[in-house]
Amino acid sequence: MPQMLRMPGKDALPPGPTRTFVAELHVHFREAGRPSLANIAAATGRLASPVPVSRETIRRLLTGQTVSTWAKVDAVLRVLCQLADQDPDRRRWSEPDDRFDEDDPSSCREYLRRLWNDAVDGVEPEEAPAVPPPRPTSGGGWGGNPAAASADDPWAKPQAPAPSKGYSDEPPF
């Protein structure tokens, strides 16, 4: 008898963006009644816009071994929602009062796609993507500003601040 597919434990799939994505996919899997991988795979080929997904890919998605492509994830989501008699484009939080974040009008599909992107990028859902600071346009090189060059040089020795001579009435500008 085949083993029941379950959400992987934290030892097999540590906390992070992939686990969050897989946990959301498992919500839909449970709502659909935990259908067999063969049934899900067969149904992906019968969708209005078919995107055949193999049983192995579905198993790997549900166990966090892959995040696959969005087309395949979306096909699996559509099948799971179809089996659960749900609309994948319904609001994820049906009643604004049942969740602390009342301003999140995301549909199930939009929310899963956001988690999928986070898993692909390896970004925690709460984290904003880091933007590198702009590089100075002048300085460094021959004849440039030596202060700007040392700011970019990881091997430059930091300059000690000038000693303070007490309180000054002069404005700092």
Side-chain angles (χ1 to χ4, degrees):
M1 178 169 188
Q3 184 178 1
M4 181 70 65
L5 192 59
R6 296 184 179 141
M7 176 69 189
K10 289 183 181 178
D11 55 330
L13 185 59
T18 302
R19 183 174 185 81
T20 306
F21 165 71
V22 171
E24 182 66 18
L25 200 55
H26 265 269
V27 167
H28 300 288
F29 180 65
R30 286 188 297 271
E31 286 176 350
R34 297 180 187 263
S36 72
L37 301 179
N39 287 346
I40 300 170
T44 61
R46 294 190 305 264
L47 290 169
S49 306
V51 178
V53 183
S54 71
R55 289 183 303 193
E56 180 61 14
T57 298
I58 296 166
R59 184 190 67 75
R60 290 171 51 85
L61 274 170
L62 289 169
T63 57
Q65 296 174 1
T66 187
V67 290
S68 194
T69 63
W70 174 247
K72 291 181 180 184
V73 171
D74 186 50
V76 170
L77 174 67
R78 287 185 291 151
V79 165
L80 293 175
C81 286
Q82 190 177 60
L83 292 171
D85 198 26
Q86 299 284 337
D87 180 10
D89 294 315
R90 74 186 187 279
R91 184 175 172 159
R92 184 167 182 268
W93 305 108
S94 57
E95 295 293 325
D97 297 336
D98 69 352
R99 184 157 193 272
F100 65 90
D101 187 4
E102 296 176 359
D103 296 331
D104 185 9
S106 298
S107 69
C108 292
R109 180 179 285 163
E110 291 167 340
Y111 185 72
L112 187 65
R113 183 161 189 152
R114 198 173 333 142
L115 294 179
W116 174 81
N117 276 313
D118 291 344
V120 168
D121 294 337
V123 175
E124 290 292 333
E126 307 82 57
E127 291 179 8
V131 178
R135 296 197 47 98
T137 55
S138 64
W142 297 100
N145 179 355
S150 65
D152 286 343
D153 184 2
W155 301 106
K157 294 182 181 178
Q159 299 292 328
S164 174
K165 295 182 181 170
Y167 180 77
S168 171
D169 289 332
E170 289 294 319
F173 44 88

